[in-house]
């Protein structure tokens, strides 16, 4: 049986619908991320699970039990807020022990648990400090320790790293992942950062306009996005509209104008359908136009240095395409040929809306 | 120096002279030995200060003032704290209008407010003098209480309450043990500010006084109608000192920034 189950969740602020009959299941001990840009409904989902927001329709089940009517204080979930929400008038020790105190746990037991938590986040030396005396990363760790001290049935995290600087974010996400796996914690994690999300999750739900666009492991989503929205989120920059054609033995992707065809290895999409061909910038090989290779002719508009290579914006008859090279750079106004790497190509159905 | 700079300095000086000048004159004349209010005094003494405490009418008026201010402040806090809390937590469209409504007793001239209260509340509903007085003072204190507490609550994000609730607190309990300790200095500042407003009020109070119930400012007003000795000047010095002391306490607990904050 699934651990947490969201069934047909619909939510709205005033007239604006932010969740549309959403379904999702989280397994025991799994960290599932909700990934999407702002306004996609990811935080709304988290707030409904926590109980701070009432859904308009649908139910939330925890281990088979409907909890929609349970007060947030009785759900026993740990919540880590974006702004940490530490209690400014209490020191670190009392912040972490707060939940246990509410549960009328004995003083000695609280003390033991608090220091166990503080050891876990490596902050035992800071027990007597006030939140204002701590750095951002330390506050973040206190917030995590406070949420975990109550041994929550489910840990909810709302963009917990977005207020930290880049280096600290990477360190902290490994830390969160380590603690979550060591203690086998079931968690729901909200973020808009694709890299952070993939590095930390067992599974990812990519959300867009109140719906889940794709649900899968980070690897599945990275290598085979199901929609152009997801593809864009995981680094696909080039999208070309065209038709799938079966010409004898081979499958071809044909662009309506310009007569350009690109060979396709295989596809489950039926013949003659309109599709979108998606490619990452490194899936387009860039050659000087003198080479005899077949491809998409174009002219470099601008080239920028990325560190690991160069990125080119190329003007073609299919529109502007982005192509990366490892060490060769083509200056602006150079005529080039773009050769799609057939193994990097992804074909996406066109949404019928 | 530029001409505009000179004009600015002259006007600032004039403003200060007109603002502070009368206070300086009153201050000096309170220390006058003579029986009459004249300035500058020829001989200085504290005799009029002692006179205040010997005079029963000032002492009892001051006691009445204190009682009314304390009762009114308590009432204003009981109404103002929940109001300020809801106002700072709601995202509803009517938030601004309601906030302005609560601020209106500051905008309406005191004389108008006092007269309206007397005619349409105290007389119309046949309310006893003491009750009417406390109600009136509660009304003039409410805007200050709400303003200061709303400003103080803006530093306490709602997530802090939600964190407490997620850790097992009921909503009320979360307010009491998480929100309240963090707005303590705001509440103190609100009460003190309301207190001095009420203590110094004349225009509203004058309509609400009745037999045997009079506050210090009103007593001072009626005293100067008949006497010209420096007692009232001496008393003014004491009131100014009290106000300054309270303002210093407010500034050191939470600052006066709430006057300028939205």
């Amino acid at each position: 049986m699934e651990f947490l189950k969201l069934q047909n969740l619909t939510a709205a602020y005033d007239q604006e619908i932010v969740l549309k009959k959403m379904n999702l299941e989280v397994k025991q001990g799994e960290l599932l991320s909700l990934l999407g840009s702002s306004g996609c409904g990811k935080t709304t989902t988290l707030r409904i699970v926590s109980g701070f927001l009432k859904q308009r329709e649908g139910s939330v089940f925890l281990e088979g039990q409907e909890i929609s009517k349970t007060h947030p204080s009785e759900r026993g979930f740990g919540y880590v807020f974006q702004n940490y929400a530490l209690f400014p008038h209490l020191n670190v020790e009392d912040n972490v022990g707060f939940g246990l105190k509410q549960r009328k746990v004995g003083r000695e037991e609280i003390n033991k648990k608090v220091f166990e938590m503080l050891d876990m986040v490596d902050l035992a030396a800071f027990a007597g400090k006030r939140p204002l005396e701590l750095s951002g990363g330390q506050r973040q760790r206190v917030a995590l320790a406070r949420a975990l001290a109550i041994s929550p049935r489910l840990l909810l995290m709302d963009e917990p790293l977005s207020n930290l600087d880049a280096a600290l974010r990477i360190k902290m996400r490994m830390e969160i992942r380590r603690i979550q796996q060591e203690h086998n914690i079931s968690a729901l994690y909200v973020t808009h950062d694709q890299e952070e999300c993939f590095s930390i999750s067992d599974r990812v739900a990519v959300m867009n306009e109140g719906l889940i666009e794709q649900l899968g492991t980070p690897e599945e989503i990275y290598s085979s996005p199901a929609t152009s929205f997801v593809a864009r989120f995981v680094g696909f920059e080039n999208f070309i509209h065209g038709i799938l054609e079966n010409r004898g033995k081979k499958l071809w992707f044909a662009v309506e104008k310009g007569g350009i065809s690109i060979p396709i290895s295989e596809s489950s999409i039926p013949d003659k359908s309109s599709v979108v061909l998606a490619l990452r910038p490194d899936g387009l090989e860039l050659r000087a136009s003198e080479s005899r290779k077949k491809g998409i002719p174009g002219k470099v508009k601008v080239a920028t240095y990325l560190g690991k290579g160069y990125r080119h914006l190329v003007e073609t008859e299919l529109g502007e395409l982005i192509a990366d090279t490892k060490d060769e750079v083509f200056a602006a106004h150079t005529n080039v040929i773009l050769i799609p790497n057939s193994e990097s190509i992804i074909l996406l159905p066109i949404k019928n809306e | 120096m530029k001409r505009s700079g000179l004009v600015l300095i002259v006007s600032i000086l004039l403003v200060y002279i007109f603002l502070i000048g009368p206070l300086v004159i009153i201050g000096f004349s309170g220390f006058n030995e003579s029986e009459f209010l004249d300035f500058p005094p020829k001989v200085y003494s504290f005799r009029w200060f002692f006179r205040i405490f010997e005079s029963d009418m000032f002492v009892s008026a001051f006691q009445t003032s204190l009682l009314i201010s304390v009762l009114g402040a308590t009432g204003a806090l009981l109404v103002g704290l929940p109001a300020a809390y809801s106002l700072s937590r709601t995202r509803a469209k009517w938030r601004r209008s309601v906030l302005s409504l609560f601020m209106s007793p500051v905008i309406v001239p005191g004389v108008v407010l006092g007269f309206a209260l007397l005619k349409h509340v105290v007389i119309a509903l046949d309310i006893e003098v003491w009750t009417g007085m406390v109600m009136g003072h509660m009304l003039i204190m409410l805007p200050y209480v709400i303003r200061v507490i709303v400003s103080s609550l803006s530093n306490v994000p709602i997530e802090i309450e939600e964190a407490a609730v997620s850790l097992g607190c009921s909503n009320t309990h979360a307010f009491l043990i998480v929100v309240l300790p963090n707005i303590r200095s705001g509440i103190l500042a609100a009460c003190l500010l309301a207190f001095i407003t009420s203590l110094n009020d004349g225009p509203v109070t004058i309509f609400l006084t009745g037999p045997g119930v009079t506050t210090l400012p009103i007593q001072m007003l009626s005293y100067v109608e008949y006497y010209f000795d420096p007692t009232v000047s001496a008393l003014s010095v004491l009131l100014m000192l009290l106000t300054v002391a309270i303002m210093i306490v407010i500034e050191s607990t939470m600052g006066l920034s709430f006057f300028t904050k939205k």
Side-chain angles (χ1 to χ4, degrees):
Chain A
M1 183 175 56
E2 60 287 333
F3 183 66
L4 175 77
K5 185 175 172 186
L6 313 183
Q7 198 173 58
N8 285 330
L9 278 191
T10 301
Y13 296 113
D14 295 326
Q15 295 304 312
E16 194 193 348
I17 305 265
V18 287
L19 272 188
K20 301 166 187 161
K21 290 195 178 295
M22 182 200 184
N23 288 292
L24 185 67
E25 288 167 10
V26 181
K27 295 174 202 145
Q28 172 84 54
E30 173 184 54
L31 193 154
L32 190 143
S33 287
L34 303 174
L35 176 67
S37 37
S38 64
C40 72
K42 56 189 195 302
T43 299
T44 306
T45 309
L46 200 70
R47 292 184 65 78
I48 290 175
V49 174
S50 70
F52 291 126
L53 188 72
K54 279 262 166 292
Q55 66 268 34
R56 192 164 277 191
E57 280 166 40
S59 328
V60 180
F61 296 94
L62 189 78
E63 294 180 295
Q65 265 191 319
E66 157 98 79
I67 57 162
S68 303
K69 291 207 167 65
T70 311
H71 191 264
S73 64
E74 279 151 21
R75 294 193 184 193
F77 296 169
Y79 202 122
V80 179
F81 294 86
Q82 185 172 3
N83 61 4
Y84 321 135
L86 298 179
F87 308 127
H89 63 297
L90 299 178
N91 63 22
V92 168
E93 186 182 343
D94 292 339
N95 262 283
V96 176
F98 189 91
L100 295 171
K101 208 174 161 195
Q102 299 314 309
R103 283 166 171 68
K104 308 265 187 285
V105 176
R107 189 178 282 252
E108 260 174 50
E109 209 176 320
I110 293 183
N111 210 26
K112 192 168 149 253
K113 184 79 179 177
V114 165
F115 278 92
E116 186 187 316
M117 289 296 125
L118 288 178
D119 278 335
M120 178 183 75
V121 295
D122 206 15
L123 278 178
F126 293 85
K129 295 253 191 224
R130 291 284 178 95
L132 279 175
E133 299 172 281
L134 303 179
S135 72
Q138 289 168 337
R139 287 181 206 178
Q140 176 56 57
R141 270 143 59 197
V142 175
L144 187 64
R146 183 180 67 178
L148 290 176
I150 60 169
S151 311
R153 295 201 280 174
L154 179 69
L155 181 63
L156 305 171
M157 288 175 276
D158 185 7
E159 305 250 10
L161 304 180
S162 61
N163 285 348
L164 302 177
D165 64 57
L168 202 54
R169 265 210 299 272
I170 293 173
K171 196 178 152 223
M172 278 303 299
R173 73 191 190 206
M174 290 172 81
E175 194 77 339
I176 292 178
R177 181 62 165 163
R178 175 184 69 79
I179 293 168
Q180 181 262 331
Q181 286 187 323
E182 263 172 30
H183 295 75
N184 195 32
I185 297 161
S186 315
L188 208 51
Y189 190 101
V190 162
T191 181
H192 66 273
D193 183 328
Q194 174 244 307
E195 194 188 307
E196 175 183 315
C197 171
F198 282 7
S199 70
I200 209 172
S201 315
D202 292 301
R203 283 194 303 155
V204 175
V206 184
M207 293 186 68
N208 181 30
E209 293 182 348
L211 286 170
I212 294 180
E213 289 260 336
Q214 190 175 3
L215 177 66
T217 64
E219 291 84 354
E220 280 165 11
I221 289 178
Y222 189 80
S223 57
S224 42
T227 66
S228 24
F229 178 83
V230 179
R232 208 162 269 130
F233 230 97
V234 295
F236 284 81
E237 304 257 9
N238 301 306
F239 295 89
I240 307 166
H241 285 254
I243 289 170
L244 210 56
E245 282 179 5
N246 200 339
R247 298 180 191 158
K249 285 176 190 168
K250 257 191 162 176
L251 261 179
W252 289 81
F253 170 86
V255 180
E256 281 133 357
K257 54 177 182 184
I260 290 174
S261 294
I262 298 166
I264 303 295
S265 40
E266 54 177 339
S267 172
S268 56
I269 298 171
D271 193 20
K272 299 283 175 212
S273 14
S274 293
V275 290
V276 175
L277 180 148
L279 271 169
R280 288 202 168 88
D282 60 3
L284 270 175
E285 199 185 329
L286 209 54
R287 292 283 182 89
S289 58
E290 293 84 50
S291 78
R292 300 240 179 97
K293 284 267 193 177
K294 269 196 174 171
I296 310 160
K299 195 178 201 178
V300 176
K301 250 183 133 175
V302 61
T304 55
Y305 183 53
L306 297 177
K308 57 182 178 188
Y310 296 90
R311 173 156 293 187
H312 303 81
L313 183 63
V314 184
E315 181 83 60
T316 73
E317 55 187 298
L318 305 178
E320 285 176 357
L321 296 178
I322 294 172
D324 285 359
T325 55
K326 273 225 170 66
D327 29 44
E328 203 179 355
V329 58
F330 294 87
H333 311 303
T334 317
N335 286 317
V336 289
I337 300 260
L338 292 165
I339 304 153
N341 178 353
S342 62
E343 281 176 12
S344 314
I345 289 176
I346 284 186
L347 292 178
L348 303 163
I350 287 176
K351 255 196 192 169
N352 353 298
E353 273 183 58
Chain B
M1 189 191 281
K2 275 190 195 162
R3 251 183 96 129
S4 59
L6 196 67
V7 172
L8 184 67
I9 286 174
V10 169
S11 36
I12 288 172
L13 277 178
L14 282 176
V15 166
Y16 272 92
I17 286 169
F18 281 106
L19 266 181
I20 301 187
L23 301 185
V24 172
I25 294 174
I26 299 264
F28 274 102
S29 58
F31 293 94
N32 199 342
E33 160 75 16
S34 108
E35 292 278 336
F36 301 98
L37 266 177
D38 51 1
F39 182 81
K42 292 177 189 74
V43 186
Y44 291 90
S45 99
F46 278 105
R47 65 180 275 211
W48 301 109
F49 287 88
F50 295 119
R51 174 65 73 81
I52 300 167
F53 295 98
E54 285 156 10
S55 128
D56 192 43
M57 64 173 145
F58 285 127
V59 174
S60 78
F62 185 63
Q63 283 166 346
T64 310
S65 268
L66 276 184
L67 193 56
I68 287 168
S69 298
V70 168
L71 287 176
T74 312
L77 193 63
L78 287 177
V79 177
L81 183 59
Y85 178 74
S86 338
L87 280 169
S88 72
R89 290 303 185 239
T90 183
R91 272 191 275 168
K93 284 176 210 131
W94 44 261
R95 182 185 183 273
R96 272 187 165 272
S97 337
V98 173
L99 195 57
S100 315
L101 184 71
F102 276 124
M103 290 303 127
S104 59
V106 181
I107 301 154
V108 176
V111 183
V112 177
L113 191 65
F115 180 66
L117 273 178
L118 178 67
K119 186 149 191 284
H120 300 289
V121 180
V122 177
I123 293 176
L125 303 177
D126 195 20
I127 290 172
E128 197 224 344
V129 179
W130 261 98
T131 321
M133 189 78 109
V134 172
M135 276 172 51
H137 277 249
M138 197 176 131
L139 194 63
I140 53 176
M141 285 191 257
L142 199 56
Y144 296 95
V145 169
I146 290 181
R147 180 78 170 182
V148 177
I149 296 180
V150 162
S151 148
S152 157
L153 274 167
S154 68
N155 298 322
V156 183
I158 191 160
E159 284 84 358
I160 287 184
E161 280 168 74
E162 290 182 342
V165 170
S166 79
L167 293 169
C169 279
S170 69
N171 296 347
T172 323
H173 199 205
F175 176 79
L176 292 176
I177 67 173
V178 171
V179 179
L180 220 45
N182 285 305
I183 57 168
R184 235 177 13 204
S185 60
I187 292 177
L188 178 68
C191 287
L192 289 176
L193 192 66
F195 182 76
I196 49 175
T197 311
S198 151
L199 200 65
N200 292 330
D201 181 76
V204 178
T205 316
I206 201 158
F207 287 95
L208 302 173
T209 50
V213 185
T214 186
T215 66
L216 192 56
I218 306 303
Q219 188 61 263
M220 288 162 76
L221 205 61
S222 51
Y223 187 86
V224 291
E225 282 179 38
Y226 302 105
Y227 307 95
F228 277 104
D229 65 43
T231 316
V232 169
S233 295
L235 197 46
S236 305
V237 172
L238 292 183
L239 280 179
M240 279 191 271
L241 287 177
L242 182 66
T243 308
V244 168
I246 288 177
M247 285 320 251
I248 289 172
V249 173
I250 295 176
E251 173 60 33
S252 61
T253 50
M254 105 161 242
L256 290 166
S257 59
F258 49 80
F259 279 124
T260 48
K261 255 203 257 183
K262 271 276 163 190

